[in-house]
Amino acid sequence: MTGPKGARTSARLAESMLELIQRDGYSGTGLNTVVAHAGAPKGSLYFHFPEGKEALGERAVELAATRFADLLADAARQSATPGAAVRHLTTVLAGLVEESDYQLGCPVSVVTLEMGGRSERLRAACARTFESWIAPVTELLVTHGRPRPAARALATAAVSMVEGAMIVSRAQRSTEPLHHAAIALAALLDHDAGPTP
């Protein structure tokens, strides 16, 4: 069992893995680089992650899941409608992508594209993460009058569109794809939503 110091080291390793995946991809991130980036003792990685790189990658994906879910929750709290929440969220994401000079993207999409067909563990972690974003968007839409099946379909489309827009924004070195996605999604999510209960 690890104490507070061990927990901090484990968290630093996961944080470093997440940052490096965003910048260099999963395959381009070596364990020695993660340890150096985290400023952790060399033996700490296998002490905290005895199953190796996939276990650390899974933890990084879980960390990304939590952070994006927090952004979603914050956007929903600050917005009167689902469309406004998406606009708020994409503005935040556009700022993050632009501030990184288009070097950072969604680590979950990166891991899915690189490892989804090669690692069941990482594919499942990514699937759980996407579900953790789709579910609250579904609930937000239900709260605003959408029937649950339609809300689920729209939430899935919304998460997929934002993910795709982030990839296109990085490729084009422009936040326009994210802004265009926000406009389209706002119209879609708020159209005929019905009264708020």
Side-chain angles (χ1 to χ4, degrees), residues 68-156:
F68 192 76
D70 289 345
L71 285 177
L72 274 172
D74 185 58
R77 275 193 303 272
Q78 295 187 44
S79 306
T81 67
V86 167
R87 282 178 179 264
H88 177 88
L89 178 68
T90 53
T91 298
V92 171
L93 293 175
L96 293 172
V97 171
E98 195 169 31
E99 284 167 20
S100 75
D101 194 31
Y102 300 93
Q103 297 303 302
L104 301 184
C106 175
V108 183
S109 62
V110 170
V111 174
T112 300
L113 291 169
E114 287 188 32
M115 300 302 295
R118 293 192 280 167
S119 166
E120 177 57 21
R121 180 176 190 162
L122 291 173
R123 184 210 61 76
C126 292
R128 288 192 303 272
T129 295
F130 287 127
E131 178 56 32
S132 77
W133 301 340
I134 292 167
V137 177
T138 299
E139 294 308 315
L140 179 63
L141 289 167
V142 168
T143 299
H144 283 267
R146 293 278 185 180
R148 187 166 294 278
R152 169 78 186 184
L154 282 170
T156 303

Side-chain angles (χ1 to χ4, degrees), residues 6 22 35 69 84 87 118 124 130-131 151 158 172 174 189-190:
Q22 287 179 287
V35 171
R87 282 178 179 264
R118 293 192 280 167
F130 287 127
E131 178 56 32
Q172 295 183 348
S174 167
L189 298 181
D190 289 346

